[in-house]
Amino acid sequence: MTVTVVGGQAGFERGVLDAADLVVGPRALLGDYAGSARVIESAGPLSAEVIDSLAAASAAVLVVSGDPGFFGDLRVLRERGIPVVVRPGVTDVQRLAALLRRPWDDITVVSAAGRDFRHAVNVCRARKAVAVLTAPGAGPAELARELRGWRRAIAVLEDVGGPAERLSVVDVTEAERRRWREPNLVLCLTSIDAVGTARWIAGGEPVPPADGWALPESAFATRAGVGTPSEVAALVLARLAPRPGTLVWDVCAGSGAVGIEAARLGAAVIAVERDAGLCVRIVANAAAHDVDIRLADGEALTDLPRPDSVFLASSRPDLLRTCAAVGAGRVVVLVPELDRVTETRDTLAGAGYEVDGCHLTTARLTPTADGATSLTPTTATTLVWAAR
């Protein structure tokens, strides 16, 4: 018993189909096949019943779109221990990139099926070129709705492999408004004309960045009295745990250093800052570090997408209560006023968090005139962090 998995139009594999006693695949790919084999029309992920039928057949053929080893059915067949022969085709991501006349080695590919949708959205918010394998209820319109506030071009290949296949390039507003034929595929781009930077690794810029994280304060344009020492930033980032697929709020962002560093580690980021002068610096700093973050200038926090982690550089009770109530998995609060530490802990604990923290005092090495080394105190910071 062997299942031959064929990627692409079955018309190219008539000899394989003629030798089969069971053929499984979507009608659009089976074409006008009318052989002696039993046919099961199946589109999308294989059901348990179809897998059982494939396992029981003496000679079965599974026809799929593109490469079955690329987010495809090959994995589930291997997991069942079913012997396979694979004849892959060109993936739909490759075809979509070719239709746009752009390379595709810089494209990050994500699946939006099920609970992965939110992670897929956050990758689209964070990266410059993302292909999204959509699913019912998680298609171009739903994706575009979650990308409000981010500048993105949306390329949609709809009715993939079908007679009405069509490529459209629209902005997020148009993508949300239109109804799209299924199955479809989305390519989310910061610029439709950019071709991407050549890398040594496929899938976009790897994380963590080559020059590490917790960069010195001099790496960010700011003004006197506003900034996060690198030693503090290192601990904050460790507690926020930014990574691809997550969304981080940087509230009272100042120069945006923490949010920008989170973005460099792969997270989608919203920087919240009311000071117009600092907003200008956040934009400049994000551009200098080649990350794309959303700036929420005076927006109400409750209007923003739900974060996975929140950094709050203030212990203002109203902001703290709002951040504690949004449902993030992690919250880190910088508490300048020691008399607010207990209130901060109680607020977070009352919102269902396990709370911890520390008072962090740092001193940096300083060379002296006689060639020795001394320690110069630089900062004393109280951090409170909380996790669900």
Side-chain angles (χ1 to χ4, degrees), residues 124-168:
C124 290
R125 291 166 172 164
R127 295 206 168 216
K128 296 181 178 181
V130 182
V132 183
L133 309 182
T134 60
E142 292 82 4
L143 177 66
R145 184 178 305 120
E146 297 299 323
L147 290 174
R148 292 174 185 169
W150 280 265
R151 290 186 178 181
R152 292 294 183 271
I154 306 292
V156 182
L157 188 65
E158 56 182 322
D159 191 33
V160 176
E165 182 177 277
R166 184 176 68 168
L167 173 64
S168 302

Side-chain angles (χ1 to χ4, degrees), residues 1-380:
M1 180 273 294
T2 299
V3 175
T4 300
V5 188
V6 178
Q9 293 290 338
F12 297 108
E13 300 287 346
R14 289 301 184 191
V16 174
L17 295 181
D18 291 342
D21 60 6
L22 173 65
V23 174
V24 177
R27 174 51 60 186
L29 294 179
L30 295 178
D32 58 356
Y33 173 74
S36 60
R38 180 164 70 100
V39 175
I40 299 177
E41 292 189 24
S42 175
L46 296 176
S47 67
E49 292 77 13
V50 171
I51 294 172
D52 289 340
S53 297
L54 288 167
S58 58
V61 175
L62 172 63
V63 182
V64 299
S65 175
D67 182 351
F70 187 75
F71 289 86
D73 296 314
L74 181 58
R75 176 170 285 103
V76 69
L77 297 178
R78 288 292 305 272
E79 288 172 349
R80 278 285 302 269
I82 299 173
V84 295
V85 173
V86 182
R87 302 189 180 187
V90 175
T91 70
D92 294 324
V93 174
Q94 290 172 304
R95 288 205 306 115
L96 176 52
L99 289 170
L100 292 170
R101 301 179 298 281
R102 78 181 309 282
W104 72 283
D105 52 5
D106 65 311
I107 296 174
T108 303
V109 183
V110 297
S111 170
R115 292 188 298 177
D116 293 329
F117 177 66
R118 187 167 178 274
H119 297 147
V121 168
N122 284 330
V123 175
C124 290
R125 291 166 172 164
R127 295 206 168 216
K128 296 181 178 181
V130 182
V132 183
L133 309 182
T134 60
E142 292 82 4
L143 177 66
R145 184 178 305 120
E146 297 299 323
L147 290 174
R148 292 174 185 169
W150 280 265
R151 290 186 178 181
R152 292 294 183 271
I154 306 292
V156 182
L157 188 65
E158 56 182 322
D159 191 33
V160 176
E165 182 177 277
R166 184 176 68 168
L167 173 64
S168 302
V169 180
V170 296
D171 60 20
V172 292
T173 302
E174 176 66 16
E176 181 180 354
R177 185 168 58 238
R178 284 176 55 173
R179 302 184 66 176
W180 302 95
R181 295 184 183 90
E182 295 182 350
N184 49 58
L185 175 68
V186 170
L187 183 56
C188 181
L189 300 165
T190 55
S191 171
I192 198 66
D193 297 319
V195 296
T197 303
R199 304 287 184 189
W200 62 273
I201 187 170
E205 181 67 19
V207 294
D211 54 352
W213 52 96
L215 300 176
E217 292 177 75
S218 59
F220 303 95
T222 186
R223 69 180 181 217
V226 178
T228 304
S230 57
E231 298 85 356
V232 176
L235 181 55
V236 169
L237 291 166
R239 297 305 178 187
L240 292 174
R243 61 198 183 279
T246 61
L247 174 63
V248 175
W249 284 3
D250 181 8
V251 183
C252 300
S255 67
V258 169
I260 289 167
E261 295 237 46
R264 296 176 75 242
L265 291 168
V269 175
I270 300 177
V272 182
E273 178 55 61
R274 296 182 180 276
D275 186 294
L278 290 174
C279 287
V280 172
R281 289 174 170 86
I282 291 171
V283 172
N285 286 329
H289 291 281
D290 196 27
V291 294
D292 184 23
I293 67 173
R294 175 178 168 184
L295 178 62
D297 181 5
E299 290 187 63
L301 294 178
T302 53
D303 294 335
L304 301 176
R306 180 173 65 86
D308 297 279
S309 302
V310 176
F311 173 57
L312 174 58
S314 168
S315 58
R316 272 178 47 189
D318 58 329
L319 286 176
L320 178 62
R321 287 192 297 269
T322 299
C323 290
V326 297
R330 296 166 179 260
V331 179
V332 180
V333 185
L334 191 154
V335 188
E337 309 89 348
L338 287 177
D339 59 349
R340 284 187 175 174
V341 172
T342 299
E343 179 184 4
T344 300
R345 291 186 60 197
D346 291 346
T347 299
L348 293 169
Y353 287 94
E354 293 185 1
V355 185
D356 204 343
C358 74
H359 183 75
L360 183 67
T361 302
T362 62
R364 292 180 179 169
L365 301 180
T366 305
T368 62
D370 60 359
T373 302
S374 67
L375 291 174
T376 302
T378 55
T379 184

